[in-house]
Amino acid sequence: MNPKVAIAFLKYAIQSNDFSIGQWIRSDYRRSIGIALVILYLLFFGYLVSQTYFTLDALSWLGIVLFPYSLIIRQSGIYSSRYGWFLMAILVCMIWLPARTLPFGLLTIGILFIIEFTVGKTTLLPLLLIGILSPFFRYTSIIFSFPIRLQLSKWAGAILSAGGFENTISGNAIQVEGTEFLVDVACMGLQMTETSLLMTIFLIAYNERTQQRYVTNLWVIGLGIVTLFLNSLSNLFRILLLIVFHILPSNPMHDVVGLVCLLVYVILPMVFITQWLYKKRSKSVSGPLQEKKAREAYKSTLISASLSLVVLAILSVQLFFNKPKSVTTSALVTTHLTGFSKQQSTDDITQFTNSSMLVYIKPIPTFYVAEHSPLICWQGSGYTFKRVEMKTIDNVLVYTGILQKGQDRIYTAWWFDNGSYRTTDQMDWRWRMAQGEPAFCLVNVNVNKQEELANAVRQIVKQKLFR
């Protein structure tokens, strides 16, 4: 994104609110304290970004630029501490969970908390925007979009067969006339989903600002659900167009087709849907409300500012002074596999190797945390996934895939195992752990030759992995 364009849009977004920066500083002590705290939070966030604790891509910057535009103060002068409860809940969670989503939530929701106790109550849009940009959303987009990609492959194959195109479906790969097309993360994953949702937030904010009318939070959530449905439909049409016209990833038209489908099947329909909704279901925005009495405002400001500083203090201690706690799990990895050498990493991941196989066993401490999914971990090492599918090997259902980095290829398989039960279903193992069953581990088997993968899975399944 051009920096000048981003700065111009940011300036317009700030000016389009009912207050200016100068007025905010000069108006009273409450807002002066508020802007000082916001700057402090932004500096802390910027420091974490500079230390690569958070990573920002083009879509992240788009969301950051969109944030002030989506920040509509609907009840100016009516101060709220509702986000304070969010902050306290996150602080409690940080005691047990070392997830990066929590510091992200503390800093971003903390800014909303400051704005609401210094200016007034905001709409739901900034909170939704924070959720879309959060590491948690990105993780779930990668993990839970995978079954959707498999289903899209099946639907695309069925439609192609009905249209007279003979094809073969293998997981997320569709082979037509000797050419293989992959329904990968770019086709149904983070970028398309996040772009669609960010555009919907922009459309809602635009209609509210221009019409001075609003729709209820239920309608806002409904628009998000419609966006996700249209995004899936858009990706299905994109896959069909790429296959029918034989457009491979190396062709520049590959990206053009994706952008056209996003515009035609998501953005344009959402433009008309939001306009219709604001004409039929919106309500008039009420005028400014009276501020609280001076003494009451002083007390609430003192309490809110104190909580904001406590959040930063605790976050600093957690990030810079406390050493990460070792993950504990009831599923203890065995100390020995016949024919393998063993290596234990600092994050409790156990690695077994021999001349032809690499095995990772990754413990999962609780049902509500993120596991070390190969879909994420291997991509962090520079690999991309090809031909991911579910296979049954000796009555054991596993995910299999091909990892590619340049000329290097690895054939991989993974599943979840607790010593007595195996599954590939995210909700299955999480539900079982929530009910008190033994903790699961993610088992990831890797070989260099495709013909060796099935035997490698059989060999590991027969081993006693836990004690």
Side-chain angles (χ1 to χ4, degrees):
M1 179 181 292
N2 190 317
K4 293 183 178 180
V5 175
I7 293 172
F9 186 88
L10 186 63
K11 186 182 295 183
Y12 166 75
I14 293 174
Q15 291 173 347
S16 60
N17 281 291
D18 294 333
F19 61 95
S20 68
I21 296 293
Q23 291 172 337
W24 194 30
I25 296 175
R26 293 190 299 268
S27 59
D28 56 29
Y29 68 92
R30 174 191 288 265
R31 291 178 181 176
S32 299
I33 293 174
I35 197 168
L37 288 171
V38 167
I39 292 174
L40 192 59
Y41 270 64
L42 290 176
L43 289 174
F44 200 105
F45 188 87
Y47 174 77
L48 292 181
V49 171
S50 69
Q51 299 299 310
T52 65
Y53 193 87
F54 303 131
T55 55
L56 300 180
D57 55 14
L59 285 175
S60 300
W61 284 111
L62 178 62
I64 291 172
V65 171
L66 180 60
F67 182 82
Y69 190 74
S70 68
L71 187 61
I72 301 172
I73 310 299
R74 190 178 292 164
Q75 293 181 308
S76 179
I78 294 297
Y79 309 123
S80 173
S81 60
R82 56 181 177 172
Y83 287 118
W85 298 105
F86 276 84
L87 294 178
M88 288 187 283
I90 296 174
L91 285 174
V92 172
C93 291
M94 280 192 66
I95 298 174
W96 293 282
L97 300 178
R100 295 197 174 193
T101 294
L102 297 179
F104 179 89
L106 278 178
L107 292 173
T108 52
I109 294 177
I111 291 175
L112 282 184
F113 172 64
I114 295 168
I115 291 172
E116 287 212 340
F117 84 74
T118 57
V119 183
K121 293 185 72 171
T122 65
T123 65
L124 183 66
L125 296 182
L127 183 62
L128 293 178
L129 183 58
I130 288 171
I132 294 169
L133 298 177
S134 69
F136 175 77
F137 180 84
R138 299 191 163 205
Y139 169 81
T140 53
S141 294
I142 294 173
I143 298 301
F144 289 99
S145 70
F146 178 67
I148 299 176
R149 297 203 302 273
L150 294 181
Q151 189 60 54
L152 283 176
S153 302
K154 294 178 182 178
W155 288 343
I159 295 173
L160 289 170
S161 296
F165 292 87
E166 293 187 6
N167 63 88
T168 303
I169 307 295
S170 180
N172 67 327
I174 304 174
Q175 192 169 52
V176 179
E177 297 178 354
T179 303
E180 186 176 79
F181 298 85
L182 296 174
V183 184
D184 57 14
V185 176
C187 292
M188 183 61 207
L190 173 64
Q191 292 185 342
M192 299 290 285
T193 304
E194 192 170 334
T195 302
S196 301
L197 291 173
L198 290 178
M199 184 56 62
T200 298
I201 287 178
F202 170 78
L203 291 173
I204 296 171
Y206 173 80
N207 278 278
E208 180 156 343
R209 288 185 178 280
T210 55
Q211 299 184 34
Q212 291 299 302
R213 300 180 66 84
Y214 72 97
V215 294
T216 63
N217 291 339
L218 192 61
W219 282 114
V220 171
I221 295 172
L223 287 173
I225 294 173
V226 172
T227 301
L228 293 175
F229 171 77
L230 291 176
N231 186 60
S232 299
L233 191 65
S234 168
N235 281 289
L236 178 60
F237 285 126
R238 178 182 189 239
I239 295 165
L240 293 173
L241 289 172
L242 293 176
I243 294 175
V244 170
F245 292 100
H246 205 272
I247 302 174
L248 299 176
S250 58
N251 191 327
M253 287 300 296
H254 191 274
D255 292 330
V256 173
V257 170
L259 293 174
V260 170
C261 287
L262 180 66
L263 176 66
V264 173
Y265 297 111
V266 181
I267 296 178
L268 289 180
M270 289 308 300
V271 168
F272 292 113
I273 290 172
T274 51
Q275 286 180 345
W276 174 86
L277 186 62
Y278 270 82
K279 286 181 181 179
K280 299 294 184 180
R281 300 292 180 182
S282 62
K283 301 177 182 179
S284 178
V285 176
S286 59
L289 299 170
Q290 295 296 318
E291 295 192 8
K292 294 182 178 180
K293 295 179 181 179
R295 179 173 296 182
E296 184 181 354
Y298 176 80
K299 289 181 179 179
S300 63
T301 302
L302 183 62
I303 295 172
S304 301
S306 300
L307 177 59
S308 300
L309 293 174
V310 167
V311 166
L312 283 183
I314 295 177
L315 184 57
S316 300
V317 171
Q318 288 288 95
L319 293 180
F320 305 128
F321 298 102
N322 284 359
K323 294 181 179 180
K325 296 180 179 179
S326 178
V327 177
T328 57
T329 173
S330 59
L332 299 177
V333 179
T334 185
T335 56
H336 179 71
L337 287 181
T338 304
F340 289 82
S341 61
K342 177 185 175 182
Q343 182 178 348
Q344 192 81 32
S345 67
T346 55
D347 51 2
D348 290 344
I349 296 176
T350 306
Q351 174 184 304
F352 295 96
T353 56
N354 63 14
S355 58
S356 62
M357 199 185 314
L358 170 63
V359 180
Y360 291 107
I361 300 181
K362 309 174 182 182
I364 306 171
T366 57
F367 73 93
Y368 49 80
V369 301
E371 82 283 3
H372 294 272
S373 172
L375 292 171
I376 297 175
C377 295
W378 279 106
Q379 291 189 35
S381 301
Y383 287 86
T384 57
F385 266 94
K386 307 291 183 183
R387 193 192 285 269
V388 182
E389 58 185 314
M390 285 193 290
K391 288 184 177 180
T392 301
I393 300 176
D394 287 356
N395 296 321
V396 177
L397 186 64
V398 300
Y399 280 124
T400 66
I402 301 173
L403 293 162
Q404 185 89 37
K405 184 169 73 171
Q407 299 300 316
D408 185 18
R409 272 198 170 193
I410 298 176
Y411 298 89
T412 186
W414 72 95
W415 66 92
F416 301 98
D417 198 325
N418 69 352
S420 59
Y421 183 80
R422 302 181 184 92
T423 182
T424 57
D425 190 328
Q426 284 273 341
M427 299 308 298
D428 187 12
W429 68 261
R430 291 181 187 275
W431 176 250
R432 289 175 179 274
M433 283 184 67
Q435 291 182 309
E437 290 193 22
F440 280 78
C441 287
L442 188 147
V443 182
N444 181 209
V445 179
N446 306 277
V447 296
N448 291 319
K449 297 180 180 179
Q450 187 172 17
E451 60 271 18
E452 295 177 353
L453 185 59
N455 286 331
V457 171
R458 293 187 186 100
Q459 181 179 345
I460 295 302
V461 168
K462 292 178 181 178
Q463 296 270 8
K464 185 178 181 181
L465 298 179
F466 312 110
R467 55 180 171 84

